[in-house]
Amino acid sequence: MSENFELDTDDLKRRMDGALANLKTEFASLRTGRASGSMLEPVMVDAYGSMTPINQVGTVNVPEPRMVTINVWDKGLVNKVEKAIRESGLGINPQLNGTIIMLPIPELNEERRRELTKVAGQYTEHARVSIRNVRRDGMDQIKKAKADGMSEDDQKFWETEVQELTDKMIKVIDDALETKQAEIMQV
């Protein structure tokens, strides 16, 4: 069995890519001082008896760099959408105009920018931990195959493959953090 051992590196890479995709989603929810429709993705509205994403109860637009508008399709949901935004912790004060909710994005002060870079760092650390967990799973598979009689050369080869994949993904994550922190600190 061990002679034909083939570690599924595609599966490991897919799982690491999932951690990276999750990190990018979390980064998108961080406010950078510029308006973005993606900052509303984590906000859920109690609509028709279930929690629904905002983009499924109205049209989200960014008409100018410091403004997001939501054109709510059902008049009866306008107040629920407004309440969901107020309670989301985004720090945005919605303004009603009929069925359109306007979200002026305030300028970030220096202290808030520093807090956001720390939050981005925490998100990045979670992603690194996820990548390391995938690495550990791969190494465990290699150890099991070694116990089943895999040669030491094969063991070293597969361990090097897994480590190189891990190092590459950690670098991608660190680069993403650098980019996001620069974006947040940009005035």
Side-chain angles (χ1 to χ4, degrees):
M1 148 156 184
S2 62
E3 292 302 313
N4 299 333
F5 177 77
E6 182 79 24
L7 184 66
D8 190 356
T9 52
D10 289 342
D11 179 55
L12 296 179
K13 181 162 179 19
R14 182 186 52 75
R15 290 168 54 199
M16 288 182 182
D17 286 342
L20 180 63
N22 188 40
L23 175 69
K24 287 182 177 178
T25 302
E26 288 176 329
F27 276 177
S29 70
L30 284 178
R31 263 187 40 217
T32 59
R34 280 195 299 271
S36 161
S38 63
M39 60 195 266
L40 296 172
E41 283 178 8
V43 181
M44 301 297 266
V45 180
D46 182 12
Y48 313 114
S50 66
M51 297 310 280
T52 311
I54 278 192
N55 63 3
Q56 291 182 15
V57 295
T59 308
V60 178
N61 290 315
V62 183
E64 54 189 76
R66 295 221 170 278
M67 177 74 71
V68 175
T69 61
I70 305 160
N71 187 357
V72 183
W73 300 317
D74 183 350
K75 227 177 197 169
L77 292 177
V78 173
N79 290 332
K80 288 183 178 185
V81 172
E82 179 191 20
K83 182 180 178 203
I85 293 168
R86 283 188 199 281
E87 294 174 353
S88 69
L90 288 174
I92 300 174
N93 196 13
Q95 299 169 355
L96 291 177
N97 183 0
T99 60
I100 296 175
I101 299 174
M102 296 179 294
L103 307 172
I105 309 300
E107 187 73 45
L108 293 174
N109 61 19
E110 186 70 20
E111 182 183 336
R112 183 68 179 135
R113 288 179 193 277
R114 292 198 190 288
E115 285 175 27
L116 287 174
T117 59
K118 287 178 186 170
V119 171
Q122 290 170 349
Y123 288 162
T124 305
E125 188 53 36
H126 291 302
R128 282 190 201 112
V129 168
S130 296
I131 299 253
R132 288 186 202 117
N133 287 340
V134 174
R135 174 189 174 275
R136 188 189 62 230
D137 290 348
M139 293 298 191
D140 288 347
Q141 289 175 31
I142 294 166
K143 282 180 187 158
K144 186 176 182 307
K146 170 82 170 124
D148 290 344
M150 182 198 312
S151 71
E152 219 165 286
D153 287 344
D154 287 347
Q155 178 188 6
K156 292 266 187 259
F157 170 79
W158 288 113
E159 285 176 351
T160 304
E161 286 284 312
V162 171
Q163 190 59 49
E164 285 174 359
L165 181 61
T166 303
D167 293 344
K168 189 173 109 188
M169 291 305 289
I170 294 286
K171 181 172 180 358
V172 169
I173 285 175
D174 290 343
D175 291 348
L177 173 64
E178 250 179 63
T179 304
K180 188 63 177 182
Q181 285 179 332
E183 189 181 309
I184 291 170
M185 294 309 287
Q186 179 183 349
V187 178

